[in-house]
Amino acid sequence: MNQKDIDRINELYHKSKGEGLTEAEAAEQKRLRREYIMAIRRNLRGSLNNISVENEDGSITNLGEKYGKKYSGN
């Protein structure tokens, strides 16, 4: 998701509050919002997969390796 797409989401939001959206614009807004949410989830999943914890015995457990591979949805 690039800045141009985010700006377009904001533009469509403001237009929807003011004069309303055409059917094509509403469909575009829905598509862009879905793509934005998917990008956020990918970024969050990437961050969570890089978390490691130190156990009481001093060993390190990488939570991404232990749990991250189980997640396959968006």
Side-chain angles (χ1 to χ4, degrees):
M1 174 92 8
N2 58 40
Q3 189 60 43
K4 179 183 163 198
D5 291 336
I6 294 170
D7 291 341
R8 181 64 177 157
I9 290 171
N10 290 328
E11 179 183 326
L12 289 170
Y13 168 77
H14 290 295
K15 185 175 180 187
S16 73
K17 293 298 179 186
E19 61 193 68
L21 299 175
T22 65
E23 286 185 30
E25 290 171 331
E28 178 187 10
Q29 182 184 42
K30 185 177 180 179
R31 178 185 57 80
L32 287 170
R33 284 179 171 175
R34 189 175 333 111
E35 290 175 11
Y36 180 77
I37 290 169
M38 287 172 48
I40 295 294
R41 286 179 179 166
R42 277 191 305 271
N43 290 338
L44 180 59
R45 178 57 52 196
S47 295
L48 292 174
N49 282 339
N50 288 318
I51 294 175
S52 296
V53 294
E54 183 176 355
N55 301 313
E56 289 181 6
D57 64 0
S59 64
I60 304 291
T61 300
N62 182 309
L63 297 180
E65 291 174 2
K66 186 173 182 180
Y67 299 108
K69 307 301 184 231
K70 295 178 184 177
Y71 181 80
S72 62
N74 283 323

